Amino acid sequence: MSENKKLFIQTLGCQMNDTDSVHIQAELEKHKGYTATDKLEDADLIIINTCSVREKPVSKLFSEIGQFNKKKKEGAKIGVCGCTASHLGKDIIKRAPYVDFVVGARNISKIKDVVDVKGAVEISIDNDESMYEFASANTNRYRVGVNISVGCDKKCTYCIVPSTRGEEISIPPEMIVNEVQKAVNNGAVEVMLLGQNVNSYGRRFSDGREKYTFTRLLQDVSKVEGLKRIRFTSPHPLHMDDEFIEEFAKNEKISKCIHMPLQSGSTEVLKSMKRGYTKEWFLNRAAKMRQLVPNLRITTDIIVAFPGETHEDFLDTLDVVNQVKFDQIFNFKYSPRPGTEALNMADKEIPDEIGSARLTELIELHKRYLEESMPPLIGSTVNVLIESLKPNGEVTGYTDNYLQVFAKGSDEYLGKFVDVKVTDVTRTALKGEIIS
Ligand code: 5AD
Ligand code: SF4
């Protein structure tokens, strides 16, 4: 009877959610005999792993679970996990009574205990060692996501994360190294270290041990034999000290692409966001990175129309964009979130049409930059770690500085580094021919 139960998971939001979904799947496979399906109609259990960073995904959630409820097969269960689960808790079941259980972002390890309990709501944000222990999972053979910390101690005034994921606790370095080693033994060559604020790693452990640093963790992880590439997200610009930047520059296993979430280029706005750094600090850190790391790619997050953002403030953001020359920008229009400090700034709210115009201007500026910066790559040769084969016979992978590359190929290249001669570019990727 319990054989062949099928699980369908939909994942919204960030990479921590992606990793949590991998863990959910692994736990339910190992302990409850589920296998994954990508067909909702076949599933015995449907899980939505939610995000609450911006408002849109929350409203999307309720319309989506309504749809799932209509399409699901008779008797199938629905569970809601992730940040919106943490933040709305039992209200989800009140609003959508056909939801069977709710599991918060910090309680994923409890998934196997609640799947069979109708009406279960597991959303505490207390620390619990067991949350680090998961069955191993294997979705992408070559890349593995490993959590290095949970929660966030910052109080950025726009951000709901500290209230959904709780206080920041680091996972002991030896557990992280172990998990990376296990993944490498299973064929992984690349690790993505994950946390809301990775470079404040090591300030607090659940067992009260001595402090550690992210730089030391990077050194530990890079000693794992067989591991070829290390990535991490998200670092905080405030904690990019010289020691970290120097390790980033000289450690050959670290991918030379860094996410530096700017949020705003205006020191005034940064102050009211409580980001802890100034425009000058950000520019200084980016310049130091560029100086020490040739071919560095920098990606960022920017919020426009934060309450009180003047035209001059916005010009400061454009100025930083022009100076740093980000290779990728994730743009957001400010979205008020429950329980955040910025909600009290409602009197300084920016009219929506101004917010939209600023967003468009930023996107256009960046588009123009990419249209200039990408074509000169045609004719160059790049080294690529091939990760997957597409049905059309193309393989795809990433360069050391994390630019996606497509080329004709076959499964013999999977998991290998190859040289690709670039023949064409888009704004965000390269196309070419494998030459060796
Ligand atoms: N409104 C708009 N964008 C937000 N982000 C986080 N909270 C909000 C909000 N309330 C963005 C930030 C963050 C990214 C993950 O989402 O830029 O870095
Ligand atoms: Fe949110 Fe700021 Fe923590 Fe990032 S650092 S998760 S933006 S509170």
Side-chain angles (χ1 to χ4, degrees):
M1 185 56 223
S2 68
E3 274 157 35
N4 242 344
K5 286 183 297 182
K6 294 243 168 12
L7 164 70
F8 173 92
I9 305 190
Q10 194 201 42
T11 309
L12 309 169
C14 68
Q15 301 190 49
M16 304 212 41
N17 267 14
D18 292 340
T19 311
D20 286 347
S21 287
V22 169
H23 286 149
I24 291 172
Q25 190 177 319
E27 288 284 293
L28 294 179
E29 275 174 10
K30 183 169 172 199
H31 300 287
K32 293 283 168 180
Y34 280 93
T35 51
T37 176
D38 51 13
K39 288 206 190 70
L40 174 82
E41 294 79 4
D42 292 348
D44 301 281
L45 171 60
I46 297 166
I47 288 183
I48 311 188
N49 193 7
T50 59
C51 168
S52 53
V53 161
R54 286 170 297 279
E55 194 171 11
K56 212 155 139 216
V58 178
S59 49
K60 205 166 134 195
L61 168 71
F62 282 99
S63 69
E64 220 144 36
I65 38 183
Q67 287 299 317
F68 285 1
N69 188 44
K70 274 192 206 134
K71 288 190 199 149
K72 71 173 193 182
K73 80 175 182 196
E74 178 92 32
K77 286 188 265 193
I78 298 183
V80 178
C81 301
C83 288
T84 309
S86 305
H87 135 231
L88 298 178
K90 61 180 183 325
D91 288 350
I92 294 179
I93 298 184
K94 264 196 209 139
R95 194 161 152 187
Y98 43 84
V99 169
D100 292 277
F101 61 88
V102 173
V103 177
R106 202 147 166 159
N107 317 89
I108 297 300
S109 61
K110 304 263 165 47
I111 189 79
K112 62 178 185 297
D113 307 323
V114 302
V115 278
D116 298 323
V117 184
K118 173 86 187 150
V121 176
E122 189 65 62
I123 55 165
S124 92
I125 54 171
D126 295 340
N127 181 43
D128 165 10
E129 276 284 340
S130 71
M131 69 190 163
Y132 312 145
E133 308 275 3
F134 292 108
S136 11
N138 216 348
T139 46
N140 179 334
R141 250 179 73 80
Y142 306 107
R143 190 193 309 176
V144 64
V146 173
N147 289 338
I148 68 164
S149 58
V150 292
C152 181
D153 277 353
K154 299 273 177 217
K155 294 271 176 286
C156 301
T157 53
Y158 53 80
C159 185
I160 198 172
V161 167
S163 65
T164 60
R165 288 193 179 248
E167 70 173 1
E168 186 173 322
I169 301 205
S170 299
I171 296 172
E174 66 278 6
M175 286 181 92
I176 295 168
V177 168
N178 246 336
E179 182 140 356
V180 175
Q181 184 69 65
K182 232 170 35 189
V184 168
N185 295 346
N186 283 329
V189 286
E190 177 178 312
V191 65
M192 176 66 134
L193 304 174
L194 294 164
Q196 295 300 334
N197 194 350
V198 285
N199 54 345
S200 71
Y201 177 83
R203 299 233 212 125
R204 188 192 301 116
F205 292 97
S206 57
D207 58 7
R209 71 173 71 194
E210 253 181 51
K211 290 189 181 178
Y212 214 74
T213 66
F214 184 56
T215 304
R216 281 177 72 190
L217 179 70
L218 287 173
Q219 290 163 346
D220 295 347
V221 171
S222 65
K223 287 190 193 117
V224 172
E225 228 165 282
L227 179 70
K228 307 248 171 76
R229 189 180 274 172
I230 302 171
R231 307 188 66 227
F232 49 83
T233 204
S234 281
H236 194 298
L238 179 64
H239 304 297
M240 292 191 179
D241 55 22
D242 287 351
E243 193 194 31
F244 162 78
I245 295 180
E246 280 153 23
E247 181 65 27
F248 182 94
K250 73 169 184 248
N251 189 326
E252 287 184 352
K253 287 194 180 176
I254 299 179
S255 164
K256 299 302 183 255
C257 175
I258 191 148
H259 189 59
M260 290 184 72
L262 170 67
Q263 313 301 1
S264 168
S266 151
T267 297
E268 270 311 299
V269 174
L270 288 167
K271 207 164 166 189
S272 75
M273 288 176 164
K274 295 213 172 135
R275 289 290 290 172
Y277 53 86
T278 60
K279 175 184 181 185
E280 288 68 31
W281 167 263
F282 189 95
L283 287 172
N284 170 286
R285 295 293 87 186
K288 173 133 191 158
M289 298 276 311
R290 288 249 189 250
Q291 182 198 341
L292 294 188
V293 188
N295 277 330
L296 177 69
R297 292 179 74 247
I298 305 183
T299 61
T300 197
D301 292 341
I302 294 176
I303 299 175
V304 299
F306 184 75
E309 183 186 73
T310 63
H311 183 62
E312 282 66 37
D313 292 325
F314 178 60
L315 291 180
D316 271 329
T317 297
L318 298 184
D319 184 37
V320 175
V321 170
N322 279 321
Q323 290 197 52
V324 176
K325 304 196 186 320
F326 296 110
D327 294 277
Q328 192 174 10
I329 304 182
F330 300 93
N331 300 289
F332 309 104
K333 189 157 55 166
Y334 168 70
S335 153
R337 308 306 297 122
T340 59
E341 227 185 298
L343 267 193
N344 307 329
M345 308 174 190
D347 56 321
K348 294 199 245 158
E349 222 165 76
I350 306 296
D352 197 51
E353 56 288 6
I354 296 185
S356 299
R358 288 180 184 168
L359 199 59
T360 308
E361 192 172 343
L362 183 58
I363 291 169
E364 286 300 318
L365 172 70
H366 193 237
K367 222 156 97 181
R368 287 197 297 278
Y369 167 67
L370 290 178
E371 280 164 2
E372 276 168 26
S373 66
M374 294 294 283
L377 294 174
I378 295 177
S380 64
T381 300
V382 290
N383 192 251
V384 185
L385 172 56
I386 300 293
E387 287 181 13
S388 61
L389 175 66
K390 302 199 301 166
N392 68 359
E394 273 188 339
V395 286
T396 180
Y398 292 83
T399 60
D400 179 47
N401 61 1
Y402 231 70
L403 192 52
Q404 192 168 18
V405 181
F406 296 89
K408 275 252 157 318
S410 63
D411 55 6
E412 71 179 294
Y413 295 112
L414 293 176
K416 302 208 171 99
F417 286 90
V418 298
D419 283 334
V420 175
K421 175 124 182 164
V422 179
T423 54
D424 201 4
V425 296
T426 65
R427 280 199 292 268
T428 53
L430 307 177
K431 227 178 148 102
E433 285 155 17
I434 296 178
I435 53 174
S436 66

